[in-house]
Amino acid sequence: MEKPWYKQFWPWFLIILPLIVVSWTIVTVIIFSNNSVSLVTEDYYKKGKGINIDISKLNVAKQLELEINIESKAKLVNFTLNKGQLAHYPALNILFAHRTLPNRDFSKLVTSDANGNYSVALDHDLKGPWFIEVTPHDKAWLIQGRVNFPVTQPTMLMN
């Protein structure tokens, strides 16, 4: 007498292979959905239109002869503004953008001392390449540049 099908090897072997594939597919989908990479922006059209506005703000900074030097020491980042044709040292909004990890981006609103020195105190040391955008509180001009932290000697942000 022959064994029933559920007691034989081959039916279970043929059933278990698709079950393994389905289960690993579900695990893979869960892992990728929880760890998505956001290198491509969803609103690329608006971002592209914003580039034209940024270029005009960069030109305003050049016309005003503005320069910013940056230096870092441990958890402190110092900015020195050469105010050019500005009447006073404005409050600055400084955006620190990480190259590939948008959840690490942050911005700080800082004011200067009488000599145009701005200091940003951080919770942790910055390491590696960062993109920095500096704008006044009224967003009339923009100075930006890439900086590789730590910066031991004053480095000028380039437009």
Side-chain angles (χ1 to χ4, degrees), residues 28-100:
T28 304
V29 167
I30 290 171
I31 289 172
F32 284 139
S33 65
N34 290 337
N35 300 313
S36 64
V37 177
S38 60
L39 293 178
V40 178
T41 182
E42 292 179 11
D43 57 348
Y44 63 90
Y45 180 72
K46 290 180 185 177
K47 202 73 154 159
K49 286 175 61 177
I51 290 172
N52 293 335
I53 296 169
D54 289 346
I55 290 173
S56 66
K57 290 180 181 180
L58 292 172
N59 290 335
V60 169
K62 286 180 184 177
Q63 291 170 353
L64 292 173
E65 300 171 1
L66 301 175
E67 293 178 354
I68 292 183
N69 289 316
I70 183 172
E71 186 176 9
S72 69
K73 294 177 185 170
K75 296 180 182 179
L76 187 67
V77 181
N78 296 316
F79 293 86
T80 305
L81 173 66
N82 178 358
K83 67 178 182 173
Q85 298 176 10
L86 291 177
H88 64 283
Y89 292 107
L92 297 179
N93 186 18
I94 302 174
L95 170 69
F96 293 82
H98 194 271
R99 187 179 279 180
T100 57

Side-chain angles (χ1 to χ4, degrees), residues 107-123:
S107 65
K108 299 279 186 175
L109 182 65
V110 294
T111 57
S112 73
D113 61 8
N115 298 322
N117 296 317
Y118 298 81
S119 294
V120 177
L122 304 173
D123 298 335

